Amino acid sequence: MTDHGETTRKGGEIRNFGTQTYKVVGTRPIRHDGTDKVTGRAVYGGDIRLPGMLYGQILRSPHAHARIQRIDTSRAEALPGVHAVVTAADLPDTTGGRIDLGEGHADTKYMRDNILAGDKVLYRGHAVAGVAAVSLHVAEEALALIDVDYELLEPVIDVETAMKDSAPLLHEGLTTTELNEDTGRKSNIAMHIRHEMGDVQQAFAGAAHVAEAEIRTATVHQGYIEPQNGTASWSEDGQLTIWTSTQGSFTAQKQLATILDIPVSKVRVIPQEIGGGFGGKIPVYVEPVAALLSRKTAHPVKIIMTRADVFESTGPTPGSYVRVKMATDASGKLVASEAHIALEAGAFPGAEIGAAAMCVFSCYDIPHAVVDGYDVVVNKPKSAPYRAPGATQVTWPVEKVMDDLARQLGKDPVAFRLDNAAAEGTRRVDGIVYPRIGGRECLEVARDSDHYQSELSGPYRGRGMAIGYWFNIGLKSAVTASVNADGTVHLVEGSTDIGGTRTSVAMQFAETLGLDAADIYPSVGDTSAIGYTDVTGGSRVTYATGWAAYEAAEDVKRQMIERAAILWESSADQVEYSDGVFKTRDGSKSADFKQLAQKLEDTGGPVVGRATVHPDTGVGGSFAVNIVDVEVDPDTGKVDILRFTVIQDAGKAIHPSYVEGQMQGGSVQGIGWALNEEYAYTEEGRMANSTFLDYRMPTSLDLPMIETIIVEVPNPGHPYGVRGVGEASIAPPPAAVAAAVENATGTQLNVLPLRPDRIINAMEDSIPAAAG
Amino acid sequence: MRDFEYTAPSTLREAVKLLSEKGEAARVLAGGTDLIVQLRARRFQPERVVDVKNIPEVNELSVSPRKGLRIGAAVPCHRIYADEGVKEQFAGLTDASMIIGGIQIQGRASLGGNLCNASPSADSIPALIAYGAEAEVIGPDGKRKIAVEDFCTGPGSNALKPGEMLVAIRMPLPKNNSGGHYLRFIPRNEMDIAVVGAGAFVELGGRSKTRVFKSARIALAAVAPTPLLVAEAGASLEGQPVTEETIAAAAAIAQEAARPISDMRGPAEYRRHLVGVLTKRALIGAVKRANGEFVPNAVQSNGHPVYQLS
């Protein structure tokens, strides 16, 4: 077996724009949790077995939109082996405000209604009742014995229909909040926001070149492998313990406390290993139902979703309708832009419209701009964050318009973008003024790359490129570090690990103390074992929790220096620490970290370092550029990706392999979104493809090796220059793939996914009518 | 899933008895790649499952000059596409059996099961129809034969009566100068269900420069309630020279015969378009094989075969 430490794994190219070289940071050690993942020893939520545990199942609505007239659970309760049935009547009905989930927020009433439907079901798959029984099969049989009378209502399944005055309303009480003021107008439009800068009308009037695009994108799912799961044990003294797969144990704790109306201190969330999240595992779904069932039965209760449940009942990303118009002066400088963005929130308000509005024009320096954003409810599952939520939907329309303007100007698409790239000091339409950013460097690296410089020839082949952005978030993190007698360190952090962050956090700790990554044993603490830590989202963990690890290491260093001073009967200011060795300034005494660690018992007992951080400013955003070559079968419309390169600014890549993994993962999800993924709906509003067979995510046979180039433009707002890298890579792929397909076929496309039938139709439409 | 009685008889007679006793409430299990999924989805709630894999006759795979090819109903795909005789003589069946599910599925899934499951989009059925295959069936009233094109009666339903089971699928050995090909369209390169599938078998006559069709059979998947034999498209080629034009004419007849629906796998109009494309490609592939040329299938070409008459 290989020990932790340096490996020779070959990585992609890294282009450095001023970052430092370090001992641990920037290397590629084996991940701390790798062996257990490979051998199957790692424990996931589905593995939980507790004494006396019951199995829960959830009855879900077969209808997209209906009023619940009556629920009769008596026949189910009478079935032998059934311990309890719960419905919305078992939820508290306190009125509450909103809670912040880090990436996204939620209204208490809507949160409860999404856990178990109140008076209405608002999407097919909406939970109606929960059953706990001695086995999964008995619980499943009991579901069939729950009688629900529905009054069917007309479903609304797309954003454009939902916005019409004539559309059936999902929520009687929902009124539009217009530019922060409640209009009192009943509507499916929950919110209208606007950002405005300069004089847009006048700028368009004086422009030399103008281009527009109108784009529709389908509802798509994160597609994580592991379904949502939750096991609840509600003890007689009122303590609720939850084992679950979550992107934030404290975020889950906060939601559970709010939904169940109990203090956060009464909820302990023990996060398990996660089989993928991508934003979808921020909200809770089955956990509160398991908790209610546990309280009612006095047994632990476990619930696991099926794949169909995951598709139909957890949050996909919004379908969208977006219009963008942009203009340049005669020299090719952008002068004006406007965007209309409407996102499908799903059954309850809360699409990431704010993020979409922040991202839409984020790549460019545009003096006059206006953005209107609409958060609209439709009869689909409540949308959840999905990797750079809102960014992908708005990147294609902007990039399509940019390509159109470049054509009008006769300029190379990359050169045209470079002429207009946002840089330090650029003011975005939402008011943010950029610190040092790496968008320009990413475009330059793309321009000079082997891929972009290569020739592409052959019939029905085409190339596209695009750039996208994600702003990243900071928020709060806590880390504690206990020095062991053998000189290793146990590091506990609160960020659940969905991308190798235990290792990337431990590496920053090791770097700061001059230790090896293998000397650090990182683990994710539950809500009773570590200080409050925000959600794993917004690409924040390597940045913020890594920063906390840096501070905790500095704390350990200070304490160890004090111990050395005690040992050497010196004073702390006479001891220095470098390259893993403590020394008196006069050089008479020295000890390395391990030697000193052995002496802790004699110098005052254990050393525990700790730190909490809450970086608000200085969170570095990240840009990603794609270059894509495709070939289209002109007879069938099938698209093959021949070559795909992703270039992304990582600030400083702590573990380059994980950065490349994020870049490749985001690219693949973006390719799926571009080509074939979509929720297919029947006229009645039922999802017709809630299986991995018919929800067509790309397989390994559909993709070339995704080539990566890491760009390092250090983030001045982080000790090691880190920028979060988890999300930006999903923003540009649909734009780049669509541009390549348009280039290959001579067509114009404006609906995602770029299904083969749509490409065939576009090719038939674009054939010039025969003469005569 | 409800509990059920599991039985595993070792003779056909015993199996027929177990099936007859329960009638509609009994289901046959071979590889289980359809049945187990359907049980879990509660599409069937049988009282008895009859596992036929212990019965010798349904596990036999043989190719002989006199009797042709006989595929026991439970023979899994991987045995079919690994068989030298099948590879050499029935390349169109290899095409189909290599793309049913993934590698793990092919270790269990049988062509017999694919046929009995009677999905309109089943990949093996158009290939079997093109080769003129027959289903050998046994039941309380003894044995009978059913042409494969008559076996499926609707989506998920077949011509088997209560108590009957499929024993084997058999087809004659192809004559010289003949070839078969099956292909499907999926938007991905693997692990998908046919949006449209097309199988063709041709027997050629004439000299190498002036080939003519002596006979042709064309069958389609996923464009009708059952896999569809388009006899008139095959008939249109008889005695005709092998040209782009005659092939295109046959493809146009196949398009006319198709009765596709729109669903999540593709709109009807697009499916009809694909029938034309795939029928041409299936015929060209079959012609090339009849001429002794190598035509890669979807797995061998990773979805990128070239379809041009040489």
Side-chain angles (χ1 to χ4, degrees):
Chain A
M1 208 180 85
T2 314
D3 207 2
H4 288 314
E6 296 303 312
T7 71
T8 55
R9 185 187 174 282
K10 189 177 170 293
E13 195 180 332
I14 301 179
R15 293 287 305 277
N16 184 322
F17 290 84
T19 57
Q20 291 183 48
T21 305
Y22 300 97
K23 179 172 165 252
V24 177
V25 165
T27 64
R28 301 170 187 255
I30 290 171
R31 63 196 295 156
H32 296 80
D33 51 313
T35 306
D36 282 356
K37 295 265 173 74
V38 170
T39 59
R41 201 178 296 275
V43 175
Y44 291 81
D47 297 320
I48 298 295
R49 303 272 187 286
L50 297 173
M53 190 177 83
L54 301 175
Y55 294 84
Q57 289 264 17
I58 293 181
L59 179 70
R60 299 184 178 280
S61 168
H63 308 297
H65 194 190
R67 202 175 303 283
I68 298 175
Q69 291 175 318
R70 187 183 67 102
I71 304 180
D72 183 350
T73 60
S74 55
R75 289 199 302 143
E77 280 159 333
L79 184 73
V82 170
H83 279 240
V85 182
V86 294
T87 65
D90 294 275
L91 283 166
D93 63 355
T94 53
T95 50
R98 290 148 67 87
I99 69 166
D100 186 0
L101 303 180
E103 206 163 57
H105 48 72
D107 177 284
T108 309
K109 162 88 168 79
Y110 291 147
M111 278 172 75
R112 285 195 188 122
D113 278 351
N114 199 31
I115 297 303
L116 286 166
D119 54 340
K120 280 176 99 180
V121 288
L122 294 165
Y123 53 95
R124 148 109 169 189
H126 196 161
V128 172
V131 174
V134 291
S135 80
L136 212 52
H137 301 296
V138 172
E140 189 185 295
E141 268 201 73
L143 296 186
L145 300 174
I146 298 173
D147 300 303
V148 186
D149 292 343
Y150 293 104
E151 176 199 346
L152 296 193
L153 302 168
E154 193 187 334
V156 188
I157 53 171
D158 73 272
V159 66
E160 290 165 86
T161 308
M163 289 177 81
K164 287 179 183 155
D165 289 339
S166 58
L169 295 177
L170 271 72
H171 301 279
E172 290 301 325
L174 180 64
T175 53
T176 306
T177 300
E178 177 101 32
L179 313 183
N180 280 329
E181 277 180 36
D182 189 349
T183 58
R185 196 171 61 239
K186 289 190 175 186
S187 165
N188 292 321
I189 304 171
M191 188 166 61
H192 169 208
I193 60 169
R194 174 177 293 161
H195 296 303
E196 202 165 7
M197 178 168 75
D199 188 337
V200 178
Q201 265 194 323
Q202 202 185 342
F204 271 116
H209 300 279
V210 181
E212 293 177 66
E214 185 180 31
I215 297 290
R216 292 169 177 87
T217 72
T219 302
V220 300
H221 198 273
Q222 300 86 351
Y224 35 79
I225 287 176
E226 180 207 25
Q228 265 84 355
N229 56 76
T231 304
S233 180
W234 203 323
S235 70
E236 284 70 6
D237 62 357
Q239 188 67 43
L240 173 61
T241 307
I242 299 279
W243 293 258
T244 184
S245 173
T246 178
Q247 286 179 238
S249 16
F250 290 91
T251 314
Q253 180 193 47
K254 197 177 345 182
Q255 292 176 77
L256 281 153
T258 306
I259 290 164
L260 300 169
D261 196 27
I262 54 177
V264 286
S265 55
K266 290 289 182 189
V267 185
R268 179 181 173 202
V269 174
I270 306 179
Q272 307 300 301
E273 292 290 352
I274 310 179
F278 313 106
K281 286 184 182 155
I282 298 173
V284 296
Y285 297 97
V286 297
E287 296 92 332
V289 180
L292 292 174
L293 288 167
S294 177
R295 184 168 61 180
K296 214 163 178 173
T297 61
H299 286 264
V301 176
K302 172 175 167 176
I303 303 180
I304 300 184
M305 282 194 177
T306 63
R307 180 58 53 187
D309 291 343
V310 171
F311 276 116
E312 296 183 356
S313 313
T314 72
T317 196
S320 70
Y321 169 80
V322 181
R323 282 196 314 267
V324 164
K325 182 175 162 189
M326 299 171 78
T328 70
D329 62 17
S331 76
K333 274 287 192 196
L334 287 171
V335 292
S337 66
E338 64 179 40
H340 166 103
I341 308 163
L343 297 185
E344 292 170 356
F348 301 97
E352 300 280 358
I353 190 66
M358 285 165 78
C359 290
V360 59
F361 296 126
S362 55
C363 295
Y364 303 110
D365 183 3
I366 313 169
H368 306 278
V370 61
V371 178
D372 284 290
Y374 299 87
D375 181 23
V376 184
V377 293
V378 296
N379 291 113
K380 292 181 178 177
K382 162 82 176 77
S383 68
Y386 177 18
R387 208 168 199 153
T392 306
Q393 287 93 334
V394 296
T395 301
W396 181 25
V398 168
E399 292 298 276
K400 187 170 164 63
V401 168
M402 288 296 286
D403 279 345
D404 189 346
L405 289 170
R407 262 191 304 273
Q408 291 184 33
L409 287 153
K411 292 192 178 199
D412 170 80
V414 178
F416 174 57
R417 283 165 173 83
L418 268 169
D419 289 346
N420 290 286
E424 187 170 350
T426 297
R427 185 190 166 89
R428 235 166 43 200
V429 63
D430 56 309
I432 299 291
V433 177
Y434 279 125
R436 188 167 181 211
I437 50 172
R440 187 178 290 276
E441 286 81 354
C442 286
L443 285 166
E444 286 168 358
V445 167
R447 178 194 62 201
D448 300 339
S449 67
D450 171 69
H451 187 170
Y452 202 66
Q453 294 298 323
S454 70
E455 286 285 322
L456 177 68
S457 58
Y460 299 103
R461 290 183 166 193
R463 177 170 291 169
M465 65 78 51
I467 181 169
Y469 173 77
W470 182 248
F471 46 85
N472 296 333
I473 58 180
L475 303 182
K476 302 171 283 296
S477 286
V479 164
T480 61
S482 311
V483 179
N484 299 317
D486 62 1
T488 62
V489 175
H490 274 101
L491 183 150
V492 182
E493 42 130 337
S495 293
T496 56
D497 181 355
I498 57 174
T501 50
R502 263 168 292 196
T503 297
S504 66
V505 168
M507 287 172 73
Q508 295 179 64
F509 184 91
E511 180 71 47
T512 310
L513 277 175
L515 303 176
D516 287 340
D519 288 332
I520 316 302
Y521 293 88
S523 61
V524 178
D526 69 58
T527 53
S528 68
I530 184 70
Y532 180 88
T533 297
D534 273 308
V535 69
T536 296
S539 298
R540 62 174 289 277
V541 174
T542 300
Y543 169 77
T545 310
W547 194 337
Y550 165 85
E551 297 285 358
E554 290 289 346
D555 190 23
V556 167
K557 195 191 292 180
R558 274 191 296 277
Q559 295 181 50
M560 294 288 276
I561 285 173
E562 284 166 14
R563 298 307 176 86
I566 293 169
L567 193 64
W568 296 329
E569 295 175 344
S570 175
S571 64
D573 60 4
Q574 291 306 308
V575 179
E576 52 188 21
Y577 182 64
S578 66
D579 292 330
V581 178
F582 297 89
K583 269 199 289 258
T584 52
R585 288 193 190 279
D586 62 12
S588 62
K589 299 272 174 55
S590 76
D592 68 16
F593 192 88
K594 283 192 164 57
Q595 289 167 333
L596 186 58
Q598 289 167 13
K599 308 282 189 193
L600 295 184
E601 280 192 31
D602 312 330
T603 55
V607 164
V608 178
R610 51 156 288 278
T612 62
V613 298
H614 186 189
D616 257 344
T617 55
V619 184
S622 182
F623 292 85
V625 176
N626 291 160
I627 307 163
V628 189
D629 296 346
V630 303
E631 180 172 330
V632 179
D633 181 332
D635 296 331
T636 65
K638 183 178 169 188
V639 175
D640 273 302
I641 310 278
L642 301 175
R643 189 175 180 187
F644 191 107
T645 303
V646 51
I647 299 116
Q648 189 179 338
D649 176 17
K652 176 69 190 177
I654 299 294
H655 191 306
S657 297
Y658 300 172
V659 172
E660 288 155 4
Q662 292 292 328
M663 291 162 71
Q664 291 167 322
S667 299
V668 168
Q669 289 184 315
I671 290 169
W673 196 336
L675 291 181
N676 287 304
E677 289 183 39
E678 65 176 321
Y679 274 42
Y681 278 92
T682 65
E683 274 177 27
E684 298 80 33
R686 294 185 187 148
M687 187 182 182
N689 60 337
S690 54
T691 67
F692 271 150
L693 188 58
D694 284 320
Y695 181 84
R696 290 160 166 154
M697 290 170 69
T699 72
S700 60
L701 292 174
D702 302 311
L703 300 159
M705 176 52 78
I706 307 291
E707 297 170 42
T708 62
I709 308 175
I710 297 173
V711 171
E712 293 189 332
V713 177
N715 174 16
H718 184 273
Y720 293 112
V722 168
R723 298 173 191 276
V725 293
E727 290 165 288
S729 57
I730 202 174
V737 171
V741 173
E742 289 181 348
N743 182 236
T745 56
T747 57
Q748 288 296 313
L749 302 162
N750 40 40
V751 182
L752 287 189
L754 307 169
R755 289 192 323 234
D757 59 293
R758 288 187 172 137
I759 292 171
I760 287 293
N761 286 341
M763 288 175 74
E764 281 169 0
D765 290 348
S766 73
I767 295 168
Chain B
M1 195 189 336
R2 298 288 293 269
D3 54 350
F4 51 78
E5 181 196 358
Y6 170 82
T7 59
S10 52
T11 64
L12 288 173
R13 178 198 292 267
E14 213 183 324
V16 169
K17 181 166 173 283
L18 287 165
L19 290 168
S20 303
E21 283 167 4
K22 291 287 180 181
E24 302 278 4
R27 304 291 308 184
V28 172
L29 171 75
T33 57
D34 283 317
L35 183 68
I36 292 172
V37 176
Q38 289 159 352
L39 293 178
R40 292 177 69 147
R42 298 185 146 213
R43 184 158 146 209
F44 302 114
Q45 300 203 355
E47 291 168 23
R48 175 180 287 170
V49 167
V50 181
D51 183 344
V52 296
K53 287 193 293 295
N54 289 345
I55 303 170
E57 289 91 330
V58 302
N59 284 312
E60 285 167 14
L61 175 66
S62 62
V63 188
S64 78
R66 201 167 56 83
K67 291 189 170 172
L69 172 62
R70 186 177 184 283
I71 305 171
V75 173
C77 288
H78 81 97
R79 278 182 61 195
I80 296 166
Y81 61 69
D83 187 278
E84 290 303 325
V86 175
K87 262 194 248 182
E88 206 171 300
Q89 307 266 13
F90 298 92
L93 270 190
T94 314
D95 297 340
S97 51
M98 284 182 92
I99 56 174
I100 295 173
I103 297 272
Q104 294 94 328
I105 295 291
Q106 290 156 12
R108 294 294 276 185
S110 61
L111 292 201
N114 201 227
L115 179 57
C116 291
N117 190 52
S119 165
S121 58
D123 286 308
S124 73
I125 304 178
L128 292 170
I129 294 174
Y131 280 108
E134 281 182 333
E136 190 184 303
V137 168
I138 193 165
D141 303 328
K143 287 191 175 180
R144 65 182 179 119
K145 285 177 180 167
I146 307 170
V148 167
E149 58 264 35
D150 299 327
F151 190 86
C152 301
T153 52
S157 63
N158 60 41
L160 293 177
K161 294 175 200 154
E164 281 190 326
M165 63 173 274
L166 180 71
V167 180
I169 305 163
R170 50 199 325 168
M171 63 210 84
L173 222 52
K175 299 194 176 105
N176 287 340
N177 300 321
S178 68
H181 187 39
Y182 173 80
L183 78 167
R184 69 179 177 192
F185 178 79
I186 52 175
R188 296 184 289 186
N189 285 329
E190 254 304 339
M191 301 298 286
D192 217 329
I193 302 286
V195 179
V196 173
F201 175 77
V202 301
E203 191 191 342
L204 304 183
R207 291 158 192 266
S208 66
K209 293 270 168 68
T210 55
R211 287 288 199 199
V212 293
F213 289 103
K214 282 174 84 174
S215 70
R217 278 170 74 86
I218 294 160
L220 304 172
V223 292
T226 62
L228 193 66
L229 169 68
V230 194
E232 58 276 30
S236 78
L237 291 168
E238 275 172 37
Q240 297 292 317
V242 176
T243 63
E244 302 272 0
E245 290 71 28
T246 56
I247 288 172
I253 295 171
Q255 280 183 294
E256 280 300 309
R259 309 192 298 280
I261 57 162
S262 291
D263 66 10
M264 71 282 188
R265 293 182 188 138
E269 200 186 334
Y270 176 61
R271 282 190 154 125
R272 195 179 293 283
H273 167 83
L274 285 178
V275 168
V277 176
L278 296 195
T279 302
K280 278 185 219 163
R281 290 180 177 185
L283 281 167
I284 289 170
V287 164
K288 287 179 138 184
R289 284 180 175 164
N291 284 330
E293 290 177 51
F294 173 73
V295 177
N297 62 36
V299 176
Q300 290 158 339
S301 66
N302 193 23
H304 298 93
V306 176
Y307 289 101
Q308 269 172 340
L309 280 179
S310 29

